[in-house]
Structure formats: structure tokens, C-alpha cells
Amino acid sequence: MFSHITAVLRALAVTLALLAGPAYAHEGHDHGAPPPPVSKTIAPRGEAASAAFELVAVPKDGTLILYLDRFETDEPVHGATLTIETPTGSANATAATDGSYQLPAPWLSKPGQYDLMVTVSVGSDADVLPLTLTIPDLAASNAPVQVGTAQTISATLSQAVPVVTQGIRERLARQDPVLLTVSAGSFLLGILVVLVARGRRRVPVIAVLVVTATVLLSASAFAHGDEDHGRPESKAALIPPNSPGATATTDLAQRLPDGSVFVPKPTQRLLELRTVMTAAGSYRRTIGLPGRIIANPNASGVVQSSVGGRLSPPPSGIFPRLGTPVKKSDVLAYVTPPVQRVDVSDMRQRQGELDQQIAIVQRRVERYQKLTVSGAVAQVQLEEALDELRGLRDRRSALDKLRAEPEALVAPVSGVIAEASAVAGQMANPGQMVFQIVDPKSLWVEALSFDALGSAENATARLADGRTLQLTYQGAGLADRNQAIPVQFAIAGDTSGLRVGQFVTVLAGTDTELQGLALPRAAVVRTGNGQDVVYEHTTAERFEARQVRVEPLDGNRVLIAAGVGAGKRVVTQGAELLDQVR
Amino acid sequence: MVFWRVAVVGSLLMTLPVQAHEVAGKFGGRVTDAGKYHVEMVAKDKTLDVYVLDNSEKPLPATGFKGIAILVVNGKPARITLAPADAQKLTGTAEVALGAAPKGAVQLTAPDGTTASGKFN
């Protein structure tokens, strides 16, 4: 029973302790020492950030250089008014040609800590950014005060140990009698002391003391030889911090010992680094399909000749050429069917017959007209003869017309001539396509899909030049074509510059929904060990690589399934360049 | 056993003051950190009162302190010079009415000449 209560109490204690922990981490609550400088080789600088802006201040040769960027995108802000509360009063920074803002600051020559307040106003945005700038004491920088005690000891050790070991190695190599004597003496002394101390309870302690003393003695003995130990090792690992004249030259992008990348603002601007704020969401996975642009079947047409015949231009005298806009029912060409030689003799024979009959009936009609007056011929007979004459004349004229009348080829739809094969005098075969008419404002895309697309309403097409087109799903065929199904989309919006037959990549959404953060493909960098990382913009000039798990999303974006949370600034432009910083 | 009881009580004590700190200050304003101090800002119409507190929220005498507050009111920055009004607070007057919780920053100059600034979001 008691143990249960204990367990509960323990659990409660742990829970409360865990609850208490994060509560301390509230906004800006840092009572400890300011964060250590990022590197000894980087000039002192101050930075501040708000929801809208990010500000970095770097003192250089008596001038305070301020870099103002948008917080979310890391885009430089131009044309802002920066009012700075300095120890000598408030002053405005002037914009420099390189996109920074500069303020003459002679007061910065004195070392110390400066609290500045920078009021930024650009357009309708205004913000106040408090900034702390610590100017180190140049005179004190050469004294070992700057370096921590632990660092000093470790530096001393790391320099002393190689010296000692190298001394031993040299002496061993030369079979130095001093070395041999000292080591033999130490050994004997050790044995002697151990023998004296034997039988007592504190043997191990004494033994350790003795051995330590022996080693120290022998080491000091080594160090007192008269050999040249070579020049003292240079302290090249630590460039003296802020040595005079070094501040301006050492501001270089570098990878810090903790793995993060320090990129000063001027370099960030040179590399055009841009970031984006991550946001979680659900995305439809898209698949890429090969497709090509086709004419809208309802807004295009072909002009074919129904009979074989000789082509002749329309009344305007010229055939419509490629690209000529035409209207529906415009006459584009004429086809004159040729008359065969056999047909010609046939027709001539028929013509002669008809002419002969017309002459006979004509004469009969004239005779009847005279005789009907006297009543010798009935009126009915005259009328019959007249009808016959009229019929014969009709047949005769139809025979003439048939020989002369060509077939008119008319445009079935309005559009632009996409294909024209008409040449004056050319013989067209029946069924041959003479013109193709396409409406360039109404084009479709036909893609081949290996899967049945469920709801492809949010499809886009990407052209080779990177342009994208919004597509509206029109329908999919069921008949197999090369083991794939043709899917048709209408292009919504501007179709200028497109041509029929052009290849496109159709990106169609599938039904599977994925959760995560969508980032541009360029944000993900593959490191040397084959892992995918993105660079998070942690502070104004620091970027940290974050290992991520990436899933394909569509042509331009990938989905970050794990590794980075929402609300982080991730580099989307220039990440590859950032990865090269050593 | 004693250890775990102490842990429970300690954890409770640890949680309480922090929560009180998060909500609001003693004088009805908002508290933020400014260097080694805490500052509480109380905005009322055009008057701005700033109380200087130490790390454990105890008021410090305001005499000798100077300060500037820059607050963003209706998208425009307003600069307010703060001077000690009485032993407890620094007071300044703005040209425009400050909202109930204006954004901005306060910069203090301590009697020893050191400066500290705090930000209010």
C-alpha cells in the first residue's frame, strides 16, 4: 500500500517537474549570460527579429551597418526608414547602394555593451526592434582573460603532451643513457616503496601516489635535457579574437563546430537565400503523365473534297494560307470534277440528240399554234408539245451546267487555318483533306494514363519551358491504347503560344491524401552521406541542417513527412550553395 | 521518501510563480525582461507607466533611471521619453492615445549608466 502511494508521489513529482520546465521558457526570458559569440573569427554583431523583420547590426570602422530583411522570406527590405536610439540620441540610418543601411557611429569605438532600439517603418509596417551590441575590449583581447580557464588548461595540455611524448620517442630512438638511468631508477624506487608499504591497509593509495610521483619526477627529468624541442607550437587553432584590423576581413561564411552554418548577411544577399515558413497541410499526391496538345474536337474541323477534281481558288483569287483566320461557311476553294473522254462523247451524243429533239418539238409547237386557231388541232395537243419542249430544254441546260459547275469547299467552323495543302490546278482525290481549321483559343490536352484517374479536377500541365497550364478534366477513354488510357483535359485560361502536337507533362492529382509540409524541391539537399537535409534559418545569420524524410508530391514540390515541424523558416532558394559552406 | 515529498512540494512551488508571471504584472500591465531587470508596462490613454522590477518581481526604486519607450500605435511608431514620476515608476506621455496593449520596446538606462531593453509583443 505504502509503496503505491510512493509510486504515485513519484509520478506526480516527475509530471510537475516536467510541467514546470517549459513554463520557464517563455518569450525572451533569458537571464543568463548572452549567447557566446558564434566564432572568434567573426566580428561582433547584434541581431533582433520580430514577426515581420529581421535586423542585423555590424559595427565597422566607426559605422554601424544595418541589414534589414523580411523575417519569413529573408528578402532584403529596401526603402525603409530606420530610426536608431543611440547613446548620443536618436538618428536615422541612410540607405547604402548595397542594400544595407548605414549610420555613422563614433560612439562605437569605446568598448562596452550598447542597447539600441531601432524603429523600422516601411510602407504601412512599423516595428520596434531592441538590439544589443557588445564591443569587446581590443586592449584586453590579447590577454588570456577572453579564453576560459578550462580552455586554457586543455590548450596547455594539448601542447605539453606532444612535447613530452616526442621527447621520449627521440630519446628512445637514440638510446639515451639519461633516459635509461632515470627510468631504471624510478622503477627501483617504486619497488622499494611498495616493499616498505607492504602489509599495511593503505597500500593501493600509497602505491598510486608513489607511481604518480615517479612519473612526474621522470617527466620533469625529461624536460630538463638540453635538447632543442623545436620552436614552440603556434596557437593557430585559435585566431586571436578581434585582433586589430582583423574584424573587417574575417567575416566569412563558415561552418561552426556545432554543425550549423554561419552566413553573414552580405553573403546571404549575394547567394540570394530565400526562406519560407513551413505550414502543415494535407496534399494530394500528383502523378506525371505524358501528354500532348490537341485541338478541341468541337472547335476544329477539316475541309475535304467529296469528289475528285481540280482545285481552284475561291472568288477572292487566293487560297487561304497557314494562319489565316476564317469564319464558318467561308468558301475556301473550289473543286472542279474533270469530265472523262468517254463521258464527253456520251454527253456530246446526248446533246446532239436533245438538240435534234428540241428542233423537232419546236417545229411541231409552231405548227400546232397555227392549227389550233382553226381548230384542226386540239388545244391539249399544243400544250403537251409545249411541255415536252420545256422538258427537253431543261435537260439540255442541266447538261451544260453539269459540265461547268465546281464544288465549293466551305469552312465548317471558325478558326485559323492550321494546315493547307491547296495548290491551284492540283487534282484533289475524293476524301482528301485540303484544309485543317483549329481554334487556337480552345485547345485540349490528351494524356496517356496507366491508372484510371479518379478525380483529376486539379490537373496542371507543364511545358518544356516551365510554363504551367491549368487543365479541366473532360473525360477518359475506356479503349486501351498502348496499355494506357487516353485522358482528355481542356486548357483553361490563356493558350497563346501553344501549338497542336506539343508535348506536355500533365500533373494530375490522385485520391491519396498525404499529411506533411510541402516544400519546393530545391529546398532539399542531399548530403555527402546520402541523407536528405533541409536548412533551417534559426537565427538571423545561422542556418542549421535538419535531416528530413522526403516523399514525392509533385513536379515542383516534395512532402516533408518528418524532421522539421511547422512554423520553421526553411531555405528554399540557395540551399545547395549553403551546403557547400565549409 | 522525504526526497520525493520535497520534490512534489518543490515542483508545485516552481509552477506557481511562473504562471503568475505569465498572466500579468502586479500593477495591471504586462511584464517582460530587460537585461537583468524585469519591466512592467502599464498603458492608459496617453500615459505610459513603467515599473522596474528585479528578477523576483520585486519593485525597484525608479529614481535614477531614465528610459525611452517606442510603441507602435496604429501602425506608426510613437516615441515616449520616460522619467521617474515617483519612487516606484517611470512615466511618460505620448502624443496619441495608446491602446490597451501596444506593441513596442522599452529601453532603460540604469543609475550606473548601463542600458537594458525589453520588447513587448
Side-chain angles (χ1 to χ4, degrees):
Chain A
M1 185 62 196
F2 189 69
S3 66
H4 280 292
I5 292 169
T6 318
V8 168
L9 281 175
R10 283 179 191 186
L12 186 61
V14 170
T15 316
L16 284 172
L18 283 174
L19 278 174
Y24 272 110
H26 75 96
E27 171 182 68
H29 202 113
D30 183 12
H31 289 287
V38 282
S39 169
K40 301 282 180 200
T41 58
I42 294 165
R45 50 190 62 231
E47 60 182 59
S50 70
F53 301 109
E54 190 175 66
L55 184 74
V56 171
V58 185
K60 188 182 176 185
D61 302 334
T63 308
L64 188 68
I65 303 173
L66 295 141
Y67 297 96
L68 184 68
D69 297 270
R70 294 274 171 202
F71 181 75
E72 284 190 16
T73 59
D74 202 24
E75 206 175 333
V77 179
H78 299 292
T81 312
L82 271 71
T83 313
I84 301 145
E85 299 297 328
T86 67
T88 55
S90 110
N92 274 0
T94 49
T97 46
D98 62 348
S100 66
Y101 297 87
Q102 298 191 348
L103 178 75
W107 40 270
L108 276 173
S109 54
K110 247 174 43 183
Q113 184 178 323
Y114 296 95
D115 276 303
L116 310 173
M117 274 205 291
V118 183
T119 312
V120 176
S121 56
V122 52
S124 59
D125 289 344
D127 222 328
V128 186
L129 298 156
L131 196 77
T132 305
L133 205 60
T134 308
I135 306 294
D137 196 348
L138 290 184
S141 66
N142 291 329
V145 184
Q146 293 272 334
V147 186
T149 325
Q151 231 173 326
T152 320
I153 291 170
S154 65
T156 318
L157 272 179
S158 63
Q159 280 167 29
V161 169
V163 170
V164 172
T165 48
Q166 185 168 1
I168 296 174
R169 218 176 289 133
E170 279 177 12
R171 283 161 189 261
L172 280 174
R174 284 187 280 117
Q175 296 189 338
D176 190 353
V178 178
L179 176 72
L180 291 176
T181 320
V182 169
S183 36
S186 310
F187 183 65
L188 286 175
L189 186 68
I191 288 178
L192 192 67
V193 172
V194 168
L195 283 174
V196 168
R198 212 168 151 189
R200 301 201 185 160
R201 282 184 64 84
R202 289 170 198 258
V203 168
V205 178
I206 292 166
V208 167
L209 280 173
V210 166
V211 168
T212 314
T214 315
V215 167
L216 284 177
L217 278 171
S218 49
S220 63
F222 291 164
H224 281 290
D226 54 357
E227 286 81 14
D228 182 14
H229 289 182
R231 262 174 287 159
E233 285 196 12
S234 76
K235 297 164 188 166
L238 292 176
I239 292 174
N242 307 312
S243 56
T247 46
T249 50
T250 52
D251 241 6
L252 295 172
Q254 54 192 278
R255 202 168 277 264
L256 300 176
D258 64 353
S260 61
V261 180
F262 169 81
V263 185
K265 277 287 170 196
T267 315
Q268 285 186 31
R269 292 178 177 193
L270 190 70
L271 300 181
E272 281 207 339
L273 295 185
R274 294 288 179 269
T275 60
V276 75
M277 195 68 99
T278 54
S282 64
Y283 301 92
R284 283 222 174 131
R285 186 163 171 200
T286 58
I287 48 171
L289 309 171
R292 61 189 188 90
I293 293 176
I294 58 168
N296 181 350
N298 298 319
S300 66
V302 290
V303 180
Q304 289 175 317
S305 165
S306 64
V307 294
R310 200 171 295 280
L311 286 174
S312 54
S316 64
I318 43 168
F319 288 114
R321 305 316 306 176
L322 289 177
T324 310
V326 293
K327 285 200 195 68
K328 189 176 175 176
S329 72
D330 276 0
V331 175
L332 306 182
Y334 287 110
V335 182
T336 315
V339 185
Q340 300 293 325
R341 192 168 283 271
V342 177
D343 295 339
V344 171
S345 72
D346 220 33
M347 281 167 72
R348 199 161 284 164
Q349 200 179 334
R350 177 55 56 106
Q351 205 177 329
E353 268 173 29
L354 283 172
D355 286 345
Q356 195 181 345
Q357 279 180 11
I358 287 170
I360 293 167
V361 174
Q362 178 80 38
R363 231 168 280 140
R364 195 195 298 161
V365 166
E366 284 165 8
R367 197 161 58 242
Y368 283 174
Q369 277 171 341
K370 284 179 197 154
L371 290 175
T372 43
V373 182
S374 60
V377 173
Q379 183 70 24
V380 179
Q381 277 180 312
L382 173 65
E383 282 169 6
E384 276 176 4
L386 275 171
D387 283 344
E388 197 184 344
L389 181 65
R390 206 176 297 128
L392 284 169
R393 280 188 176 146
D394 266 1
R395 284 167 68 187
R396 178 70 177 83
S397 65
L399 201 65
D400 285 346
K401 214 189 271 179
L402 192 74
R403 276 178 64 185
E405 188 167 295
E407 183 195 358
L409 300 180
V410 293
V413 291
S414 299
V416 166
I417 300 291
E419 202 180 320
S421 62
V423 178
Q426 182 195 354
M427 290 295 293
N429 294 324
Q432 186 194 337
M433 190 183 77
V434 183
F435 296 104
Q436 189 184 2
I437 300 165
V438 167
D439 184 357
K441 290 190 178 62
S442 173
L443 294 175
W444 282 21
V445 168
E446 187 177 82
L448 290 176
S449 169
F450 296 100
D451 304 315
L453 290 177
S455 54
E457 65 264 16
N458 55 354
T460 53
R462 205 175 61 221
L463 296 166
D465 61 1
R467 264 207 305 160
T468 53
L469 308 165
Q470 286 297 318
L471 301 180
T472 318
Y473 179 73
Q474 295 293 325
L478 291 171
D480 203 68
R481 193 192 294 172
N482 300 331
Q483 296 300 311
I485 312 162
V487 190
Q488 290 185 329
F489 301 91
I491 297 173
D494 188 26
T495 57
S496 59
L498 300 180
R499 59 177 177 82
V500 173
Q502 200 170 3
F503 285 110
V504 292
T505 306
V506 176
L507 299 162
T510 59
D511 285 336
T512 45
E513 284 218 340
L514 299 169
Q515 299 286 330
L517 315 162
L519 284 179
R521 199 170 275 276
V524 181
V525 181
R526 179 150 292 191
T527 55
N529 60 357
Q531 257 172 332
D532 289 327
V533 297
V534 296
Y535 278 90
E536 188 193 331
H537 194 185
T538 49
T539 62
E541 297 185 313
R542 265 216 219 201
F543 298 85
E544 285 181 37
R546 300 260 183 262
Q547 292 178 3
V548 289
R549 194 173 81 237
V550 176
E551 287 174 11
L553 187 61
D554 58 31
N556 296 325
R557 296 179 303 168
V558 291
L559 194 81
I560 307 294
V564 174
K568 306 275 191 221
R569 292 181 292 164
V570 170
V571 179
T572 54
Q573 193 179 313
E576 199 68 54
L577 299 168
L578 207 56
D579 195 47
Q580 302 298 324
V581 176
R582 293 283 170 267
Chain B
M1 258 344 86
V2 175
F3 169 74
W4 288 107
R5 277 180 207 169
V6 168
V8 170
V9 174
S11 309
L12 281 170
L13 286 175
M14 279 162 86
T15 48
L16 289 175
V18 168
Q19 275 162 1
H21 180 94
E22 276 288 308
V23 175
K26 279 182 214 171
F27 303 99
R30 291 176 297 153
V31 176
T32 194
D33 305 328
K36 57 183 176 178
Y37 308 107
H38 282 190
V39 285
E40 180 169 347
M41 181 172 79
V42 185
K44 200 173 188 185
D45 197 24
K46 289 185 179 178
T47 316
L48 185 78
D49 293 338
V50 171
Y51 297 87
V52 186
L53 315 167
D54 68 2
N55 278 343
S56 50
E57 307 290 310
K58 274 193 207 129
L60 291 173
T63 40
F65 277 94
K66 287 188 296 182
I68 302 164
I70 299 179
L71 302 175
V72 179
V73 183
N74 300 329
K76 288 206 179 84
R79 189 175 188 275
I80 304 159
T81 314
L82 300 168
D86 52 42
Q88 251 191 332
K89 65 184 178 192
L90 299 152
T91 304
T93 314
E95 289 173 4
V96 288
L98 307 163
K103 263 172 50 169
V106 172
Q107 185 178 348
L108 291 176
T109 310
D112 60 358
T114 57
T115 54
S117 53
K119 194 165 192 284
F120 292 93
N121 285 321

